[in-house]
Amino acid sequence: MAVSVLTQKKNAPTGNPVDKLLAATADDMAKVNSLILSRAESHVDMVPELARYLIESGGKRLRPMLTVAAALLFGKGKGNEVNFAAAVEFMHNATLLHDDVVDESDMRRGKPAARMVWGNKASILVGDFLLGQAFMMMVETGDIQALGVLSAASAVMAEGEVFQLAKTGDLTTTEADYAEVIRAKTAVLFKAACEVGAMSGGADAAGRAALAQYGLELGNAFQLVDDALDYGGQSGALGKNVGDDLREGKMTLPVILALAEGSEAERAIIAGALGKVDASELEVSQVVAIFNRHNTLARTLEKARAHADAAVEALAGLPDSEMKTLLGEVVLHSVSRAS
Amino acid sequence: MAVSVLTQKKNAPTGNPVDKLLAATADDMAKVNSLILSRAESHVDMVPELARYLIESGGKRLRPMLTVAAALLFGKGKGNEVNFAAAVEFMHNATLLHDDVVDESDMRRGKPAARMVWGNKASILVGDFLLGQAFMMMVETGDIQALGVLSAASAVMAEGEVFQLAKTGDLTTTEADYAEVIRAKTAVLFKAACEVGAMSGGADAAGRAALAQYGLELGNAFQLVDDALDYGGQSGALGKNVGDDLREGKMTLPVILALAEGSEAERAIIAGALGKVDASELEVSQVVAIFNRHNTLARTLEKARAHADAAVEALAGLPDSEMKTLLGEVVLHSVSRAS
């Protein structure tokens, strides 16, 4: 029988499901946040300076919240979820540090990327440090099965990033390639975050599989929305500018669909702007106009909604509880941010 | 009672101790090498291409050999040493990939660095992949204590690299700072390699501590020799040019000692060349002349020999065996390469 945390809260907020999730996981997340800060410490000053700059830059900490929520959903927590949640957030932040170097990104979460302040070298090495610390926190739980889930995720994420890099600017990239990239680089960490949370919460095999599937579908939906927002979101809202993916030559779904269905002339316009670091706003808007003619942004969001529905569906076999309802609402909210 | 492997070999080679170690560990190293190749595989072509280019570029695989040798020294092997050895080599290679990006190195092991062929981005990401695979191989052993040793090493190594970066070109760097850098960036992995080997071989607490100490001292000696060779070795022998550390602004012991004892004029010459990417051969030779006046290369090697002696001493309490003798010879050989 699942235990609901929400029922224990006197003043559960209404409205935004992410805020409700934050409230429902507040006690454990306070421990997670303090563990995150203490594990970013080092006698080498540059390490905590850089790590905290990123960690405290206003990320939502959605992944560690999901780990905690998944543990609470099953309610037989061994307390390992705090370590796993912090480890998941460190893995995510290590990836962000390396990604910003790889993508040559200037901004992250609305302020200069760490590499613009401390340089690429420090960003690479502090990323490595966070990854090492993540593994230490996992090891401390003694849960070798969960370690397997998270270490596999770590390798797959890097593989996904390499695949994305290999496909950069490649006009022959297929929808299947794209699905593989977002699964590996994004969805697998959401999956692992939810799965180890469930394991830590004492889920049986079916419960663990349900949360793994939920995380995978949520992660896919999340990345699809991100990739649509990159062309349609308001500048600044995501801390990055519209068209960044285009300038970086990233083969995301809106591009792939437009290339597949566009006219010769349209393909030429897209190809001309893809990977052009200094593509102008006009060039970007011409590409977005092509997307709109072929409805590729709307169809990307449609696909995101299908994954979101699948995420909710993955939880269907679990006993009803307020936490289960909330996890469903979080998914739907995460796709609604782009509509 | 320690079991000697060498006594089981009909044709143990004489001469170079590293060759003898290779022969003594040949059976297990064949498994390690095949595991290394299979774990560098990926459906993303760029991953095995880049990884194999580095892995097969003629490194001596000293670290994994030490893991296997440490396990054989105790002789009650659980077979975990093959996974640990491959994991240690992956951790090492991940570090090399990231280091070459950070140091902007063009050459590695006598051929163009991977980043010169596949670029910095792929080098960063494939390094991350190797690190993830290393953890997966460790997890497969189910030995959570050994995982603790290796994951701690991973974090400390990155911390050491950041410390080195922070100290780049810093004329106030002390001998103690330097000792901390080489311990963290180099010696800790040698220590972990030997320690998990001993654990896998069924060592008791004293045996494990002895091998850990042996590895730490060997690693310190190894890095001190490297840092002396950077100024005194023949160009090409190490696959890099004399004075690279100077041009990169690395505060190694020969520099630190010379700055501490040199005249105002000598300090000015060193400071002028430190971190100067395009420092000429003449400038490097002027710095080396100052080193020679203050005997700083010889004293660096003396310090290496003291660590080598301490490594041999660390094994003193263990039962005599041919493997123990060989491990002692390997240390002395590793410092003799610079004399």
Side-chain angles (χ1 to χ4, degrees):
Chain A
M1 178 60 199
V3 170
S4 165
V5 190
L6 286 179
T7 55
Q8 298 161 8
K9 301 276 170 193
K10 291 265 159 51
N11 302 308
T14 52
N16 185 329
V18 174
D19 290 340
K20 281 159 79 178
L21 188 65
L22 192 57
T25 58
D27 293 348
D28 274 346
M29 280 306 290
K31 293 181 203 163
V32 171
N33 290 333
S34 115
L35 186 59
I36 282 174
L37 284 183
S38 74
R39 290 311 180 86
E41 267 310 323
S42 165
H43 65 279
V44 182
D45 296 340
M46 199 191 276
V47 171
E49 283 168 17
L50 192 158
R52 288 182 168 200
Y53 175 84
L54 173 66
I55 290 167
E56 294 176 347
S57 67
K60 293 178 300 299
R61 304 210 175 159
L62 183 56
R63 293 161 191 79
M65 262 200 282
L66 288 168
T67 301
V68 168
L72 292 172
L73 178 68
F74 294 96
K76 296 182 287 255
K78 309 174 207 163
N80 287 347
E81 61 270 20
V82 173
N83 270 42
F84 289 139
V88 161
E89 184 68 4
F90 270 30
M91 286 171 67
H92 175 54
N93 282 303
T95 306
L96 294 184
L97 287 174
H98 288 186
D99 280 1
D100 283 347
V101 174
V102 168
D103 293 342
E104 299 170 24
S105 304
D106 300 343
M107 302 288 285
R108 163 72 62 189
R109 294 172 180 163
K111 58 181 195 172
R115 75 180 198 95
M116 303 305 286
V117 184
W118 286 272
N120 283 342
K121 300 173 181 193
S123 289
I124 296 169
L125 297 173
V126 174
D128 291 347
F129 172 78
L130 292 179
L131 215 48
Q133 289 290 75
F135 279 102
M136 283 182 72
M137 288 189 278
M138 296 172 209
V139 167
E140 283 160 21
T141 67
D143 185 338
I144 201 88
Q145 274 200 302
L147 262 157
V149 170
L150 290 165
S151 58
S154 171
V156 171
M157 285 163 71
E159 216 173 8
E161 297 281 351
V162 179
F163 192 37
Q164 175 175 270
L165 180 65
K167 289 289 173 189
T168 300
D170 179 350
L171 303 180
T172 69
T173 307
T174 64
E175 271 196 68
D177 293 333
Y178 171 77
E180 170 55 20
V181 166
I182 68 169
R183 186 193 70 84
K185 79 165 188 174
T186 305
V188 161
L189 185 58
F190 276 94
K191 169 180 177 284
C194 294
E195 188 173 4
V196 299
M199 291 163 81
S200 177
D204 60 13
R208 176 179 162 182
L211 266 290
Q213 189 64 26
Y214 167 83
L216 192 70
E217 299 289 0
L218 169 57
N220 278 318
F222 191 89
Q223 189 60 54
L224 280 155
V225 169
D226 247 23
D227 291 345
L229 277 177
D230 195 83
Y231 289 100
Q234 283 182 342
S235 177
L238 278 184
K240 53 197 268 193
N241 302 316
V242 171
D244 274 359
D245 284 351
L246 185 75
R247 296 188 180 94
E248 291 166 13
K250 279 201 182 134
M251 302 306 294
T252 60
L253 192 57
V255 175
I256 293 169
L257 293 175
L259 284 170
E261 299 163 15
S263 66
E264 202 70 21
E266 288 173 329
R267 288 174 56 90
I269 290 171
I270 297 172
L274 247 183
K276 188 175 170 189
V277 202
D278 59 350
S280 67
E281 279 182 37
L282 177 64
E283 287 172 284
V284 174
S285 69
Q286 285 174 329
V287 170
V288 172
I290 297 168
F291 290 173
N292 288 337
R293 276 204 287 284
H294 296 276
N295 254 330
T296 72
L297 291 171
R299 282 153 65 202
T300 298
L301 291 172
E302 216 166 86
K303 220 177 178 70
R305 277 188 292 273
H307 281 290
D309 290 343
V312 175
E313 181 59 29
L315 302 181
L318 300 177
D320 286 339
S321 69
E322 292 191 41
M323 185 60 92
K324 175 178 154 178
T325 305
L326 182 48
L327 286 172
E329 288 173 9
V330 165
V331 175
L332 300 176
H333 174 77
S334 82
V335 291
S336 74
R337 67 193 164 113
S339 61
Chain B
M1 176 65 197
V3 172
S4 166
V5 191
L6 286 180
T7 54
Q8 298 162 9
K9 300 276 171 197
K10 290 265 157 53
N11 303 309
T14 53
N16 185 328
V18 174
D19 291 340
K20 282 158 79 177
L21 188 65
L22 193 57
T25 58
D27 293 348
D28 275 347
M29 281 305 291
K31 293 180 202 162
V32 171
N33 289 334
S34 116
L35 187 59
I36 282 175
L37 285 183
S38 74
R39 291 310 178 90
E41 267 310 324
S42 164
H43 65 278
V44 182
D45 296 340
M46 199 191 276
V47 172
E49 283 167 16
L50 191 158
R52 287 182 167 203
Y53 175 84
L54 173 65
I55 289 168
E56 293 175 347
S57 67
K60 291 178 301 299
R61 306 211 174 157
L62 183 56
R63 293 161 189 78
M65 263 199 281
L66 288 168
T67 301
V68 168
L72 293 172
L73 177 68
F74 294 96
K76 295 182 286 255
K78 309 173 208 163
N80 286 347
E81 61 269 19
V82 172
N83 269 43
F84 289 139
V88 161
E89 185 66 5
F90 270 30
M91 286 171 68
H92 176 54
N93 281 304
T95 305
L96 294 183
L97 287 173
H98 289 185
D99 280 0
D100 283 347
V101 173
V102 169
D103 293 341
E104 298 169 25
S105 303
D106 300 343
M107 302 287 286
R108 163 71 62 188
R109 294 173 180 163
K111 58 181 196 173
R115 75 180 198 96
M116 304 304 288
V117 184
W118 285 272
N120 283 342
K121 300 173 180 191
S123 288
I124 296 169
L125 299 173
V126 174
D128 291 347
F129 172 78
L130 292 180
L131 215 49
Q133 290 289 75
F135 279 100
M136 283 182 73
M137 287 189 278
M138 296 174 211
V139 168
E140 284 161 20
T141 68
D143 184 339
I144 200 88
Q145 274 200 302
L147 262 158
V149 170
L150 290 164
S151 59
S154 171
V156 170
M157 285 162 71
E159 216 174 10
E161 296 280 351
V162 179
F163 192 37
Q164 175 175 270
L165 179 66
K167 289 289 172 187
T168 300
D170 178 348
L171 302 179
T172 69
T173 307
T174 63
E175 271 196 67
D177 293 333
Y178 170 76
E180 171 55 21
V181 166
I182 67 169
R183 185 193 71 84
K185 80 166 187 172
T186 305
V188 161
L189 185 58
F190 276 94
K191 169 181 176 284
C194 294
E195 189 173 3
V196 299
M199 291 163 80
S200 177
D204 59 13
R208 175 179 161 183
L211 267 289
Q213 189 64 27
Y214 167 84
L216 192 69
E217 299 290 358
L218 169 56
N220 278 317
F222 191 89
Q223 189 60 54
L224 280 155
V225 169
D226 247 23
D227 291 346
L229 276 177
D230 196 84
Y231 289 100
Q234 285 181 341
S235 176
L238 280 183
K240 52 197 269 193
N241 301 314
V242 171
D244 273 358
D245 284 352
L246 186 75
R247 295 188 181 93
E248 290 166 11
K250 279 201 183 134
M251 301 305 294
T252 59
L253 192 57
V255 175
I256 293 169
L257 293 174
L259 284 170
E261 298 163 15
S263 66
E264 203 69 23
E266 287 173 331
R267 287 174 58 91
I269 290 170
I270 297 172
L274 248 182
K276 189 175 169 189
V277 203
D278 58 351
S280 67
E281 280 183 36
L282 177 64
E283 287 172 284
V284 173
S285 70
Q286 286 173 330
V287 170
V288 172
I290 297 168
F291 290 174
N292 288 336
R293 276 203 287 285
H294 296 277
N295 255 329
T296 72
L297 291 171
R299 282 153 65 201
T300 299
L301 291 171
E302 216 166 85
K303 224 179 175 69
R305 276 187 293 272
H307 280 290
D309 290 343
V312 175
E313 182 58 29
L315 303 181
L318 301 177
D320 287 337
S321 70
E322 290 190 43
M323 185 60 93
K324 174 177 153 180
T325 305
L326 183 48
L327 286 172
E329 288 173 8
V330 165
V331 175
L332 300 176
H333 175 76
S334 84
V335 291
S336 73
R337 67 194 165 113
S339 62

